[in-house]
């Protein structure tokens, strides 16, 4: 089935057609892309929550655990590094580390480089949980991409990267 046939009558097409009818003086073409991105983000958020829930995790818990997992062996980072990777405040991160430690998913360890500092490290239970949740998440995300060919997925990823680059660029202070 051609891409045009599949996408010809989705909800965004109906919204765009209604705006064309009601406001023919406006260029509503940005809606054709960004409304679809927004709708896909909502579906992705629900699917991710489901994948994490199946492993007893909240989205924020997965974010912290996966940041530690991506750090590589021994799966530990400073609270400051976790702040940078998860974009939350210091107080929020302290609370999150406390809650994850209570669940036995992370532990605090003294920093070998700073006797006053601490490092946050995945426990074996945390490592197993984040690995299982990540595998489930990838299966869920593959399902969301549906029948897109590998070539279409690559092209879509490239186009979205181009759209996001200005937002991910370092900002001068």
């Amino acid at each position: 089935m051609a891409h045009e046939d599949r996408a010809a009558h989705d909800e965004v097409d109906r919204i765009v057609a209604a705006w064309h009818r009601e406001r023919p003086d406006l260029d509503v073409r940005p809606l054709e892309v960004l409304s679809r991105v927004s709708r896909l983000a909502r579906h992705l958020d629900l699917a991710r929550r489901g994948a994490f829930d199946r492993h007893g995790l909240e989205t924020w818990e997965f974010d912290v655990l996966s940041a530690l997992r991506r750090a590589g062996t021994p799966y530990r980072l400073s609270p400051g590094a976790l702040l940078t990777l998860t974009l939350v405040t210091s107080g929020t991160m302290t609370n999150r580390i406390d809650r994850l430690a209570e669940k036995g998913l992370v532990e605090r360890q003294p920093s070998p480089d700073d006797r006053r500092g601490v490092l946050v490290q995945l426990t074996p239970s945390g490592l197993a949980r984040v690995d299982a949740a990540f595998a489930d998440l990838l299966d869920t995300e593959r399902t969301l991409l549906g029948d897109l060919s590998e070539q279409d997925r690559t092209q879509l990823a490239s186009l979205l990267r181009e759209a996001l680059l200005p937002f991910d660029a370092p900002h001068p202070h």
Side-chain angles (χ1 to χ4, degrees):
M1 178 180 275
H3 295 288
E4 295 79 23
D5 293 341
R6 266 199 316 232
H9 300 291
D10 69 359
E11 185 61 25
V12 173
D13 288 320
R14 290 185 278 281
I15 292 168
V16 167
W19 278 119
H20 273 301
R21 184 186 69 241
E22 295 299 316
R23 290 295 310 266
D25 57 311
L26 295 177
D27 176 9
V28 296
R29 287 179 292 179
L31 292 176
E32 294 181 35
V33 174
L34 298 176
S35 289
R36 287 186 174 100
V37 168
S38 176
R39 293 172 68 79
L40 184 58
R42 279 184 265 159
H43 289 290
L44 177 58
D45 184 53
L46 290 171
R48 283 181 166 181
R49 288 174 194 252
F52 301 148
D53 188 54
R54 288 189 290 277
H55 298 277
L57 295 173
E58 298 287 334
T59 300
W60 68 263
E61 291 173 313
F62 179 82
D63 288 346
V64 174
L65 296 176
S66 66
L68 291 166
R69 179 62 169 100
R70 290 190 313 269
T73 304
Y75 313 116
R76 69 179 173 212
L77 294 167
S78 70
L82 285 169
L83 286 173
T84 302
L85 294 171
T86 59
L87 305 174
V88 298
T89 66
S90 177
T92 298
M93 182 53 66
T94 298
N95 185 347
R96 289 179 175 188
I97 293 168
D98 289 346
R99 291 172 64 187
L100 288 167
E102 287 170 14
K103 291 175 87 172
L105 301 175
V106 302
E107 60 189 10
R108 286 182 174 90
Q109 297 184 336
S111 172
D113 302 325
D114 176 2
R115 61 187 179 130
R116 293 176 303 156
V118 298
L119 295 174
V120 180
Q121 182 170 344
L122 282 177
T123 63
S125 175
L127 178 62
R129 183 93 57 100
V130 73
D131 279 354
F134 185 57
D136 194 352
L137 173 64
L138 290 175
D139 288 341
T140 299
E141 290 183 352
R142 268 187 217 92
T143 300
L144 279 176
L145 291 173
D147 296 331
L148 287 178
S149 70
E150 193 60 39
Q151 181 180 352
D152 287 346
R153 290 177 190 201
T154 300
Q155 182 179 10
L156 181 57
S158 179
L159 292 169
L160 290 170
R161 180 182 305 108
E162 289 297 316
L164 285 169
L165 278 173
F167 299 99
D168 288 346
H171 298 290
H173 295 288

